[in-house]
Every structure is written in C-alpha cells, then in structure tokens.
Amino acid sequence: MFAQLRPALMILALMTIITGVIYPFVVTGIAQIVFPSQANASLIVQDDQVIGSARIGQSFDDPKYFWGRLSATAPFAYNAAASSGSNLGPLNPARAAAAQARIDALRDADPQNRAPIPVDLVTASGSGLDPHISIAAAMYQVPRVARARGLGNAQVQILVVRFTEDRQFGILGEPRVNVLQLNLALDVVK
Amino acid sequence: MTTFGVLQIVLYLVVLILLVKPLGAFMARVFQRERTILDPILRPVERVIYRLCGVTPDQEMDWKQYAFAVLAFNFLGLAAVYVIQRVQGFLPLNPTGLDAISPDSAWNTAVSFATNTNWQNYSGETTLSYFTQMCALTVQNFLSAATSMAMLAAIIRGFARSGDNAQTLGNFWFDLTRATLFVLMPLSIVLAFALVSQGVVQTFDSYITAPLVQATRDANGNPVTEQVIAVGPAASQIAIKQLGTNGGGFFNVNSAHPFENPTPFSNFLEMLAILLIPASLCYTFGKMVGDTRQGWALFAAMLIIFVALLTIAVWAESVPNPALSKLGIDQTASENQDGGNMEGKEIRFGIVNSALWATATTAASNGSVNSMHDSYLPLGGMVALIMMQLGEVIFGGVGSGLYGMFALVIVAVFIAGLMVGRTPEYLGKKIEAYEMKMASLAILIMPLIVLGFTAIALSLDVGRATILNPGAHGFSQVLYAFSSMGNNNGSAFAGLGVNTPFYNVLGGLAMLISRYWLSIPMLALAGSLARKKTIPPSAGTLPTHTPLFIGWLVAIVIIVAALNFIPALALGPIVEQLMLK
C-alpha cells in the first residue's frame, strides 16, 4: 500500500504545476491579449485618469445624481475591496429599518414625489457593488435629478434610456440601468 | 412567474439536456480508455505523467487499495493547502502583502477544498494572496473534483464487471489523471475565456485605486474620496469552481460579485457549468454498464425533483415581503422592474436567475451563490436547505452525487424486493445484506452529523454567539451551516459568523466525515458487487428504467429526507413563514 505514496506525492506536485501555474498563466496571457479591457476590470478612463469601473457601482446620495442600491459593505458603502451582502433575514427588524431610512432619504430629497418606491432602491444588493438599478428605479428619480440640475425631465429620461441595457440576446437577465455611467453622462451635460 | 422567467428556465433546462449525451458519452470513453478527439494532444502528456510518477495504468486496484490511494492523495492535498495558507506572507504573487491565515481558519479551508465542499469561511479579496488562490485553491478545485469522478468511475465498474477474476475497480491514478486532463481542463479553458469576454477579471496586477465620483463617508464619519477595486486571476478559478461543483469564490460574495459574474450571459454559462458534469455523468453511467436507459432513468428522477423544488423557489422569491409592503414599497413585477424579494440579489440577474442558481447550486453540491441565501424569504431558503438535506443526490457533486444516488437506488430496489417477495437485484447484481449495510451507512451518517452538530452548536454559547439574525432565522442559519458542510455543499446563510475556532474546527470535522463516510462504504459496496456474477434478467426482475421505478426512486429519496429533517425544518423556515404577515 505504501507504494502508493510516491504517485500520490508526484501527481500532486505535477498537477499543482499544470492546474495551479500553467493553467492560470496561459489563461491570463491570452485573456490580456484578446480581451484586454474586460480582463482588467472594464475601467472607465477620462483624461488619462481612471475614474472607476463600469461594472462596480459607487455610492451616491447627492440629489443631482441617480442613487443605486443599498450596499452593506464595510466600512463604507460600495467598498470595492470588500464585497458583502447584508445577510439580513426576511423578518430581521434591521432590514425594515434600513429600508425606512432609505425611504426617508428619498422623500426628503424629493418631497413632491408620491409614487411608490421601487423595491430595488430600498434593498441591499448581494455583492454590495451592484452597478445597476431597475428602469422603474431610474424613472422614479428622474424628476429629482432634473430639478437639481435645472434640466427638463425629458432630457434626463433620454439619458436614462441611453444607459439602459436590455436583456442580453433579448432573453437573458433583466433590463437595467448603469448608475455610474448615467451619472458621468449627466456631469458632462451639466 | 413572468414570461421571460419561464423562457429562461426552459432555455436553461433544454441546453442542459442537450449536452448530457455528448459529454456523457465522451466521459465514458475517457474512463474506458477508448479513443477520443483529444488524444493527439493529451496522450503524450498523460504518458509523461505516468512515467514521472511511477504509475502503471494497467495495474488495477481492489476497493481497499483504491480507497487508500484516494485517502493518501486527499490528505496530502489537504496538508498542502494548509501549509500554503500559513506561509503565504513569504510566497510570491502577493501584491497586497497579505499575512498568514490563522490555524483554525486554514484547517477549515484546507478540509473544505480537499473534500470538494468549498465552504467559504474566508473573504477572498481581503485574506488570500493570488498564490494561495492559484496553487492551493484552484489546484484542489481540479483535484477534489477529479477524485470524485474517479471514485464514481470505480464504483460504476463494480456494477459493470461480472464475477470470476473481478476483484478490482480500476486504477485511481489513471482515473484521476484522465478526469483532470481530458474533462475538467478543456472545459475550464473554454469557460474561462467565455467568462473573460463577459468582463470577469483575469490579471496578476495589484488592486486598482481610483477617485470616487461623489465622495462618501465611512462608518466613523471620516471622508472617503477614493476606492480600491479588488481584481485578480479570477476567471481561471471561477471556471473550475463552477464545473467541478466546488463553489469557493474568488471574492467574498462569490458569483454575486460583478467581476465574478458580470452579465446575464456569464450567469447562464456559470449556472450551466454547475449541473453540466453531474448531469452528464448519468449518461456516462448508462454507457459504462451497457444500458443507457439506466442512466436516463436516474437523470429523470433527479430532473423531476429539481423542477419541483425550482418552481417553489422561484414562486417563493417572486412574492412581496410583507415587512416591506407595509412601508409602501412597490414589489410587483412589471415591464420596468422585476419586483419580488430583491434583498441580497443583483439587478442584472433578477428573481428567476437568482432562484434558479440557488436551486442548482444546492442540488449539485456546488455551493457558489449569485445571491445571498440568508436574505431569501423562508420558503425560498427552505428549498436550498432541502436540496442539501436530500443528501446532494439531485445531480449532486461531480461523481459524488451519482454514487450517493446509487445508495438510494439500492435501498429502493431492496424495499421494492421486500414488498413483492423477490430477491432484490440491480443491473443483474444481487443486493444482499452486505450491500444494504453499506448503503445504509452511506445514507444515515449524514443526518446524524447535520442534526447532531446543529444541536451541539446551538447548546453552546460559542455556537450561538455569532448568529446574526434573531428568532427562528437564527436557528435556520446554524442548521444551514451544518447541512452545507455535512453534505459537502459549501453555500451558506452567510450572516452566521463562521470564521471562529469553534465553527472552523467542528465544520472541518463535519466535512471530512461526510465526504469519506459516503465514499468509502460505496467503494466497499462496489468491491462486493464486482465479485458477483451478473444474472440475466428474468420475468421476475424488477426493471429499473421504467417510469414506475423512476417514481418509486423519487418517493424513496423524498421519504428518507423527510423522515430525517422535517422536525428541524419545522423549527426554522416553517415557523418563520408562519410569522411572516
């Protein structure tokens, strides 16, 4: 039986080289050539300066910006170096409290808006870094953003539509709006 | 359920079913050393490995030798993962300068990856260096999966071989090498590139620092003006963690992370990868025993339970959470939003893809997540719990799911035999006292571990101290943890703080017992079956490929789990559901 120890050790060593070194290095090498942007975090660059990743959300609470999902990352929201969900159970009072705090903030920033708030604006995402909101959540915020920037609702809506991603291949996933890209575009307009 | 929801589920199942036969047939050829399309590239590599390692692939092992080889190999792997974590501070590819992992955490992770559980007590981006991710975790992702597939191949040979000289089940090193090189590696390479094309990161560069568009404040009120974006060689690891039913994420939140699962298409591929190999192995089994109907019958039984529980999960997560309805929140599905229980879910996936993933990842013993199961409504979370408590046999882990199902098949034919008063047999092999003992061992140890360890944790202060959620949900968190580790799944109700010495040590024990207390009796059973003569079917034989038998097997699977776990479920998710109003 102990004759099996040599193959055990040797196969572990060889497989560590094949699966642990060669495999990731080959994949990285080719990925860097064929998909350089995707493999390097889909960064958004303005004036030679990296200002974020198109896939990673950021925290917004200024009325002139669209706001994203709640984020449970520590020690601050949307910490891209420490992803985390809230992990709050459905009956946990902390969940209702977090939702209530967001409702209050949304109502304070836009007292005239009496429409029911879409659920994704008052719930934390799984990653804490969700870059998207639903179309409903974007439309809900259009009047506030338009007013804060002195723009027309229609003008802001056009931008929302521009940064709306449809279901992939017309069937997969859900339609969604990229908050960071939308806000960057707003800053360009005004 | 929305129209698009139904469409996506149907598309997923159809693509999965279409792939079962080609991949299953290919894997049968791999394990039977028949010619495959990859031979010109891989045969030379294979030969070099055998020569360097002193392996003679024709030298067959009996079940004891096979089990010894498995144990020796897995414990060496476990030791390697442990040591690498403890000394990662001195090793290369550590751009963020991360320090050694604590002994109890390193032990838990080492067991977790060597046993194909991939329970994640660590937070990838904040604790593990690139070197550890690659040379410890990625390696075990391949090797623990290949070990399971090898054991399955050996156990199938026990059914397929007939009497006479058949003492042996094959050569472990041959099966292991072939599972890695011919099956896992090519699929991983293809999947990894597909994932990078969608935006999964794959780089050795250090984390990226960028200014924030709007400055924010941290928990202590200090201003935060820039962000650090964690990256790394993620795609190569994610590909194999999905294909090998491993599930340990590169990042803390696993496949909910936008860099681990950026688009609905990457999500579709990753979900497909969860069930691809376990489902296809059903066909491999049929092929290797010379009757593909037997493989399809097991596949059908698994699919029936899968679709039933999936329907419950999707429905449960689509309904509004009453606690939020009271606050006047719009949770109904419409053209502009998916609605439903969005806590812990990502917008790009929505309800259907989250619930589908949760069902698939707990059906297979994968354990990766694209949404936080802890925040599911009680019945949605219960589906995940039940899937694991069925014993990870609904597709299950690569290899381990199917040999776990064999134990239940043995019980099913045995009970059926008793009811009609005939000697039970399966695939022409008589099922006798020894086989029943081994099957019972494989089935009964799991509930003992899950329920026993849950009880221990709940009766001790150290076990209760790290429960996040109050009330019945807190109980569910602990039950989920041990259901997951006790079935080598690896997903979690992640609000439970498990990176403590208590949970690390006890959980490590649960993972070890459940892995080997299932696989070694099954190898013994196969060793016994191999020696038996195959009896040709007669008028009195119970056919095991008919709809009747499929229905019977489904009933046995459900009854065994229900007898074991309904009382525990009543204390957790069922109470919670009743409190929800």
Side-chain angles (χ1 to χ4, degrees), chain A residues 86-93 95, chain B residues 317 341 372-382 385 458 467-481 492-496 569-577 579-580:
Chain A
S86 76
N87 290 313
L88 296 175
L91 283 171
N92 195 321
R95 186 145 143 188
Chain B
E317 290 305 299
N341 178 33
M372 298 298 121
H373 295 184
D374 214 347
S375 298
Y376 274 38
L377 289 170
L379 293 182
M382 188 166 81
L385 267 168
L458 287 168
I467 294 175
L468 171 78
N469 286 297
H473 197 78
F475 171 82
S476 300
Q477 287 186 313
V478 177
L479 179 66
Y480 196 105
F493 271 7
L496 178 69
L569 292 173
L571 291 176
I574 294 175
V575 165
E576 206 183 1
Q577 177 68 28
M579 291 168 69
L580 199 67

Side-chain angles (χ1 to χ4, degrees), chain B residues 39 67 75-76 90 125 142 187 217 236 247 302 306 349 426 550:
Chain B
D39 280 11
F75 283 112
L76 277 176
F90 305 103
E125 64 266 47
F142 277 99
L187 286 174
R217 287 184 180 281
S236 53
M302 294 173 177
F306 182 80
F349 309 138
Y426 185 55
I550 294 169

Side-chain angles (χ1 to χ4, degrees), chain A residues 71-85:
Chain A
S71 162
T73 61
F76 55 91
Y78 288 93
N79 179 0
S83 57
S84 174

Side-chain angles (χ1 to χ4, degrees), chain A residues 4 23 61 83 86 92 168, chain B residues 125 173 214 236 265 343 469:
Chain A
Q4 301 299 339
Y23 163 67
D61 60 4
S83 57
S86 76
N92 195 321
Q168 210 168 359
Chain B
E125 64 266 47
W173 310 117
Q214 187 203 323
S236 53
F265 184 53
E343 182 80 17
N469 286 297

Side-chain angles (χ1 to χ4, degrees), chain A residues 43-60:
Chain A
L43 297 173
I44 304 174
V45 180
Q46 273 182 5
D47 310 325
D48 289 336
Q49 162 97 38
V50 174
I51 51 163
S53 163
R55 310 207 180 275
I56 302 287
Q58 294 187 15
S59 175
F60 293 101

Side-chain angles (χ1 to χ4, degrees), chain B residues 30 43 124 160 215 235 401 411 482 534:
Chain B
V30 167
R43 283 302 279 270
V411 172
F482 286 106
T534 306

Side-chain angles (χ1 to χ4, degrees), chain B residues 2 88 115 121 133 219 240 278 295 342 348 387 418 423 428 432 486 489 532 574 578:
Chain B
T2 58
Q88 69 172 6
T115 57
N121 70 349
Q133 295 262 18
I240 181 60
M342 283 306 289
R348 60 194 179 282
M387 272 298 192
L418 289 184
T423 317
E432 292 167 299
N489 180 279
K532 296 187 181 190
I574 294 175
L578 294 174

